[in-house]
Amino acid sequence: MSLTPDEVKAVAHLARLALDDADVPRYATELSSILQLVDELEKAPTDNVSPMAHPLDLSQRLREDQVTETDQRELFQEIAPSTGDGHYLVPPVIE
Amino acid sequence: MHDKSLRELATGLRNREFSSSELTRHFLDRIGQHDSSLNSFVTLCEAEAMKSAEAADRLLAEGDGHVLTGLPLAHKDIFCTRGVKTACGSKMLDNFIAPYDATVVEKLSAAGMVTLGKTNMDEFAMGSSNETSFYGPVRNPWDTDLVPGGSSGGSAAAVAAGLVPVATGTDTGGSIRQPAALCGVTGIKPTYGRVSRWGMIAFASSLDQAGVFTRSAEDAALVLQAMAGFDERDSTSLDREVPDYAADLSASVEGLKIGLPSEYFSAGLDDTLRDVVDQAIKEFERLGAEVREISLPNSGLAVATYYVVAPAEASSNLSRFDGVRYGYRADNPVDLEDLYKRSRGEGFGREVQRRIMIGTYVLSAGYFDAYYLKAQKVRQLISDDFRKAFESVDLILGPATQGPAFRLGDKLDDPVSMYLNDIYTIPANLAGLPGMSVPAGFVNGLPVGLQLIAPWFAEGRLLSAAHQYQQVTDWHRRVPGDFS
């Protein structure tokens, strides 16, 4: 499998990554070489194999739905790029 | 003091040969003298370290404290350290002061260890050469034109150069064992889930596991004991009793059945490195181990499997870096999408962007079955190979890498050749098994590592086998000439 520059742009959009147009052809070449490596998997017969769900074959631990964390909003917002009145600020979303 | 083992340093502290403050000062001075040629540390915590050392000295004076109390330590910069910059090798987190401690940090601090600083690493632990760090590459203490391996390259180089007696690391596809091998130190990755991932910045959550770099297996046993254990804050933490690793060290190798996977000794392995591994096999035989050939038939597909599973998990884990709550934010965004895209485009380096895009692609509509589901099936086959092998052997032995350290820049422009560095280490991560790299000799004056892999939960067996080997060899005591 190889990726065209347009496909790279589409994937970058899905991943919300701004790429320089000048970098796109190089990414197309590099990502294609990685996908070629990955294509080896096609050879493996896996008809009756279940996909691994957990490396130790364990199921997910559950807990009671109780509040265990304390409110640390101020501490966490100290390191935020932009806040106001206890909110995280972003550019306007609704006109 | 920097040529002593942790055990010897602990004894020295208790016998008042030196204080923790003197020990801490000594290692801080060594970092000051030597690290400009290695770049193994990204942050030093000098004032805090001296304060913790004084506290440790008070405890020791009262006859209290843990066996590790007062001993210096460094953390890979992937572990959150409260009030201290935690950048994970990335511009994205260059301004991130962690608001809490990782469980690993908390536990080792609680044992009285003194944190000297944070070590350099590949960006978000993605790399095998420590060249993808935003803070520049780390250099190998055995030859500073060479890479130390990655992603925990700073921790491996710092221990090898005697700048700190122990450093933490993480291993997602070989990021402890490969740099340990290339720097000539002992490195262990325990069973998946054995050490809490809480506060350890996530790369690929089904593969990530924390471990440790030391000179010897005995030292690794001491530190791992203090790091390991169930943590309810980590949803995949192993709820199982931690064995007494130090007590297990004396277990004999006599009668131990060791398997040599033929796939780990085939084309691609450096001939001289093969000779080194053969010598190590003979040592184990002299110690009474029974060696036999085994097969892990699907291990050749491990790298391909990994480069679907790990990027897929990374693309979801790294979606949290959005320029809103913490980390890098692009200037003057015109709208929310521009804020996301430019913060991530400017904040992440090339290797991280490559992996996010591969991960996004293999999870995208129409490709999920062909890539992600297929890879998780092959992953099950790889794990089944190990399960079968461990029905007839107690331990698996092979090389940790195909060759010794390579030159800086040699593989940077060719992601696939870089990825193949981890060909022997990735299978254990895919299966969740504990693995270890132990110094086993030299190729052209450069250290190489012997890899040991144990069944699930049996890292104690790894440590004892390595310890017994280190009783009859001295490769782990060799230090690079410029740092003796």
Side-chain angles (χ1 to χ4, degrees), chain A residues 1-3 7-8 11-19 23 26-27 30-35 37-47 49-58 60-61 69 72 75-77 79-82 88-93, chain B residues 96-97 99 192 206 230-232 234-235 238 300-301 303-305 307-308 323-327 329 333 335-337 339-342 344-345 348 350 353-354 356-358 360-361 367 371 373-381 383 413 416 419 430-431 456:
Chain A
M1 193 70 181
S2 64
L3 289 184
E7 286 170 315
V8 169
V11 172
H13 168 70
L14 286 176
R16 299 297 185 269
L17 282 174
L19 302 184
D23 284 336
R26 190 170 149 197
Y27 274 123
E30 290 169 347
L31 299 185
S32 297
S33 73
I34 298 168
L35 289 174
L37 165 80
V38 162
D39 282 343
E40 276 181 45
L41 293 176
E42 286 170 16
K43 292 185 302 197
T46 52
D47 282 352
V49 182
S50 303
M52 182 185 276
H54 189 292
L56 305 180
D57 249 349
L58 299 175
Q60 196 71 26
R61 186 158 39 82
E69 293 288 323
Q72 303 186 70
L75 176 70
F76 294 153
Q77 291 201 335
I79 51 170
S82 177
Y88 292 95
L89 301 184
V90 295
V93 180
Chain B
F96 182 68
I97 309 292
Y192 176 74
S206 79
F230 176 67
D231 180 6
E232 63 179 16
D234 169 3
S235 64
L238 197 54
L301 293 167
V303 176
T305 304
Y307 278 97
V308 174
V324 175
R325 290 155 303 154
Y326 44 76
R329 175 178 225 166
D335 57 23
L336 192 57
E337 184 166 295
L339 166 68
Y340 291 152
K341 283 188 169 177
R342 280 199 298 117
R344 292 163 60 78
F348 291 134
R350 289 189 67 86
Q353 298 199 355
R354 278 196 286 261
I356 289 175
M357 286 193 277
I358 286 288
T360 303
Y361 180 74
Y367 296 102
Y371 286 107
L373 212 60
K374 178 77 182 183
Q376 288 290 49
K377 288 179 180 176
V378 178
R379 185 176 178 186
Q380 188 62 54
L381 292 176
S383 182
D413 292 328
V416 170
Y419 295 172
L430 291 172
W456 292 270

Side-chain angles (χ1 to χ4, degrees), chain B residues 121-123 125-133 138 140 146-153 172-180 182 203 303 306-307 351 354-355 401 404-407 411-412 414-423 425-426:
Chain B
M121 56 180 284
D122 278 301
E123 185 179 6
M126 297 177 192
S128 306
S129 67
N130 219 115
E131 292 170 290
T132 73
S133 170
V138 176
N140 191 311
L146 307 183
V147 303
S151 68
S152 317
T172 304
S175 285
I176 289 175
R177 290 160 290 155
Q178 185 253 13
L182 303 193
F203 160 15
V303 176
Y306 180 86
Y307 278 97
E351 178 61 19
R354 278 196 286 261
R355 297 210 198 181
T401 60
F406 48 92
R407 298 182 83 77
K411 300 185 181 178
L412 200 54
D414 182 358
V416 170
S417 88
M418 186 69 89
Y419 295 172
L420 292 171
N421 264 297
D422 296 329
I423 195 161
T425 48
I426 282 174

Side-chain angles (χ1 to χ4, degrees), chain B residues 438-454:
Chain B
V438 183
F442 289 82
V443 168
N444 303 327
L446 299 170
V448 290
L450 178 73
Q451 185 179 204
L452 301 172
I453 302 170

Side-chain angles (χ1 to χ4, degrees), chain B residues 56 75 87 100 135 162 189 194 204 220 264 310 320 329 351 355 359 376 381 404-405 427 442 449 459 472 480:
Chain B
H75 284 296
Y100 63 97
Y135 302 97
K189 172 202 107 69
R194 182 64 92 184
Y264 281 47
R320 74 192 62 186
R329 175 178 225 166
E351 178 61 19
R355 297 210 198 181
Q376 288 290 49
L381 292 176
F442 289 82
E459 51 277 328
V472 293

